Amino acid sequence: MKAKLVSLMMVVCMTAALLAGCGDGGSKDNANTPSTDENNGEQQNSGDNGSTNNKASGSSDGEKITLKLFHNWINVEEAPYFEDIAAEFESTHENVDIVIENVGDPDYRSKLSVMLGTDDAPDIFFSWSGESAYKFVRAGLVQDLTQYYEEDIAWKDNFVQAALPPFEYEDGIYGVPVRIDCKMMIYNKALFEEYNIEIPTTYEEFLQVCETFKKAGIIPLALGNLEPWASCHYISTFNGMCVPEDVRRMDNDYKTGTFTDPGYVQALQMLQDLNSKGYFTPNTNAMDFDMARNDVFIGKAAMTYMQSIEFKRCQENNMEAGVFKIPFPEGAAGNENLVTGSPDGFMISSKCEHPELAMEFLKLMTSKPWQERMITQLSSPASVQDVHNAENSNDVTLQAVEVYKQADGFVNWLDSDIHSEIADVYVPGLQEVIDGSKTPEDLMGEVQGIAARVQSEE
């Protein structure tokens, strides 16, 4: 049965029958669904990349089942991925009907929060990791998926292992990572060659590279910070460098966070210095993000801090790009072997009546053929191992994959990893620190105050 993509208005007007919970997937032993690799025609198991198993029907009594899927991929070239995977799942589960709704950012977050509190909750929904996911766990809105990982160790081991902890909360695992998005420094190779510049291996060398380009009249670091999530990615990296990992984890938990470690001030000072030294795009706080980033493509800027899901933009703009991780400052107290970014994935609503069936779908999505399609169709780095190659990924993506495969873990985006009320003070305050109207000490004092208030109110 062809998967149906419904509009937001149609979802609101659905009948009660359509909004029934997801259906019975039968026993877990024979639940996995075979997927066909479009390139070689071989069957792949949805739980791992080796064994095969029987076709599942979804329910032993033939009851019609509706499975609701909610995500935030809205581009016309991306939507068919979800329609096609739903169609494949329906073809092996004859009585299952998958209804898909998608809403773009930033409306997705608010719409999802409303839906999860009503009878219109999706059975499977996209979620960022970290605090963005943990708030649903604390509210009892999602299923604990630990048993599925424990029952299928081969499937669990097939993930990039650093992608699992960001969906862990206390003793449970509450999400399935489907892609990895990390932040790396992209540089214009032509400019580096023209000025005979080597990739920096220390933070001091990184600053020297910036100074060289500044003196040459080239913007060292393209940054449009009109919306401060852009500088938030820098401070996420610098916090990971300057703050001990155990302290940062404690602070990211609103129940224990104090943000008093001096590393937070050090990180903000590093951010402020990049602007005061003239290394960021001029008037960065008034500059649109995309406009600033385009300066790299046309040779007006040398580098930009870019998410891996956007690496394709370099090729689209005919720029030969290189990639490196911002070097670790000497003597910093954080963990040198972390990568800024996070896995994104899907969670299963606590209102889903048959989570076994929902898990079958997520295992299909994390099978090798569908992860390969995610790379090519959604330009999203995969969450499972050994699917990236020279045929489906560009050079910068392959380099980034090697970096995060060897990493100890991820430093999540700050605004996704701390309580929303703290983020509402911390993130906008980065603009004031950058332009010098607020000191790092003053901003962290405000953050400490709101953190204490959140603790007392929760």
Side-chain angles (χ1 to χ4, degrees):
M1 181 183 298
K2 181 177 177 61
K4 292 180 286 295
L5 184 64
V6 295
S7 68
L8 183 60
M9 183 61 70
M10 290 174 65
V11 171
V12 176
C13 298
M14 281 180 181
T15 64
L18 184 61
L19 294 178
C22 66
D24 188 356
S27 67
K28 192 171 188 300
D29 292 337
N30 64 0
N32 289 340
T33 309
S35 173
T36 302
D37 188 329
E38 294 180 346
N39 297 322
N40 58 28
E42 294 179 357
Q43 279 193 333
Q44 300 286 346
N45 178 272
S46 63
D48 55 54
N49 293 330
S51 61
T52 59
N53 50 75
N54 298 328
K55 177 177 178 178
S57 63
S59 177
S60 59
D61 59 6
E63 173 192 0
K64 191 63 179 176
I65 298 164
T66 296
L67 187 66
K68 293 173 289 182
L69 173 67
F70 188 40
H71 68 83
N72 64 344
W73 278 271
I74 61 173
N75 295 336
V76 292
E77 68 271 18
E78 297 172 343
Y81 174 88
F82 295 94
E83 296 177 45
D84 292 347
I85 193 172
E88 178 172 319
F89 191 80
E90 289 175 340
S91 72
T92 56
H93 297 73
E94 297 173 355
N95 59 324
V96 175
D97 186 15
I98 298 181
V99 176
I100 306 174
E101 180 185 359
N102 58 4
V103 175
D105 299 329
D107 295 333
Y108 181 81
R109 292 177 187 264
S110 57
K111 173 63 178 174
L112 175 62
S113 296
V114 171
M115 292 173 70
L116 290 176
T118 70
D119 291 335
D120 191 30
D123 297 298
I124 305 171
F125 62 90
F126 170 84
S127 177
W128 294 271
S129 55
E131 176 62 23
S132 293
Y134 301 157
K135 64 184 180 182
F136 299 134
V137 178
R138 293 194 297 268
L141 296 172
V142 292
Q143 302 267 357
D144 184 347
L145 308 181
T146 307
Q147 62 172 325
Y148 302 105
Y149 284 98
E150 293 177 347
E151 293 168 0
D152 196 344
I153 297 300
W155 174 65
K156 179 181 180 181
D157 289 346
N158 201 42
F159 287 101
V160 174
Q161 291 305 290
L164 295 177
F167 280 105
E168 296 175 1
Y169 188 81
E170 295 182 345
D171 296 327
I173 306 177
Y174 291 86
V176 176
V178 298
R179 73 172 184 182
I180 291 176
D181 188 15
C182 66
K183 201 84 171 183
M184 302 289 285
M185 190 62 71
I186 290 287
Y187 67 93
N188 187 313
K189 279 190 172 183
L191 288 176
F192 268 58
E193 291 173 2
E194 179 180 351
Y195 289 90
N196 196 29
I197 292 177
E198 300 291 332
I199 297 175
T201 58
T202 68
Y203 193 74
E204 283 302 315
E205 289 178 357
F206 173 66
L207 295 178
Q208 291 170 9
V209 169
C210 291
E211 185 66 23
T212 298
F213 281 118
K214 175 190 171 183
K215 290 179 178 179
I218 296 169
I219 298 169
L221 300 168
L223 174 66
N225 198 47
L226 181 62
E227 297 181 9
W229 63 262
S231 57
C232 178
H233 288 185
Y234 271 97
I235 205 63
S236 302
T237 299
F238 294 159
N239 281 350
M241 293 174 170
C242 299
V243 181
E245 191 172 4
D246 57 340
V247 173
R248 188 168 45 78
R249 287 177 178 171
M250 180 190 70
D251 288 335
N252 289 348
D253 185 340
Y254 76 94
K255 294 178 291 186
T256 56
T258 61
F259 295 92
T260 56
D261 190 274
Y264 291 111
V265 171
Q266 180 185 358
L268 286 171
Q269 190 63 59
M270 290 170 64
L271 181 69
Q272 188 179 71
D273 288 347
L274 289 178
N275 189 62
S276 64
K277 293 176 183 292
Y279 299 156
F280 284 147
T281 299
N283 300 313
T284 183
N285 285 338
M287 180 64 65
D288 176 78
F289 175 79
D290 285 324
M291 289 183 63
R293 182 176 57 181
N294 287 340
D295 285 341
V296 175
F297 302 141
I298 63 175
K300 187 177 177 180
M303 298 172 283
T304 190
Y305 211 21
M306 184 179 286
Q307 291 171 247
S308 56
I309 59 173
E310 298 180 307
F311 284 174
K312 65 176 181 178
R313 294 289 304 277
C314 300
Q315 186 174 358
E316 291 172 352
N317 286 273
N318 299 313
M319 186 193 83
E320 187 177 2
V323 61
F324 64 89
K325 181 182 171 185
I326 298 179
F328 195 78
E330 183 177 358
N335 183 346
E336 185 172 3
N337 199 31
L338 297 177
V339 176
T340 301
S342 72
D344 298 329
F346 283 82
M347 307 180 84
I348 299 176
S349 167
S350 58
K351 296 180 181 178
C352 179
E353 296 178 3
H354 303 281
E356 294 85 359
L357 184 62
M359 278 302 302
E360 288 183 54
F361 183 83
L362 293 179
K363 283 192 175 185
L364 178 62
M365 188 177 290
T366 52
S367 65
K368 183 175 181 179
W370 285 100
Q371 284 279 287
E372 288 176 337
R373 280 194 60 176
M374 178 167 287
I375 294 170
T376 57
Q377 194 167 345
L378 303 185
S379 299
S380 295
S383 64
V384 301
Q385 303 180 56
D386 303 323
V387 295
H388 285 275
N389 55 58
E391 294 182 359
N392 62 30
S393 304
N394 55 38
D395 288 343
V396 289
T397 297
L398 292 175
Q399 291 176 56
V401 169
E402 286 303 310
V403 170
Y404 67 64
K405 277 175 58 178
Q406 300 174 37
D408 292 339
F410 290 96
V411 179
N412 205 344
W413 321 115
L414 180 68
D415 53 349
S416 293
D417 219 24
I418 59 177
H419 194 283
S420 60
E421 291 186 38
I422 302 174
D424 287 344
V425 171
Y426 204 153
V427 177
L430 298 177
Q431 290 181 319
E432 297 173 281
V433 169
I434 285 174
D435 67 19
S437 61
K438 182 172 290 184
T439 67
E441 291 82 0
D442 285 345
L443 177 57
M444 288 316 301
E446 293 176 10
V447 169
Q448 292 159 13
I450 192 67
R453 196 193 79 190
V454 168
Q455 281 189 39
S456 66
E457 292 177 352
E458 292 286 347

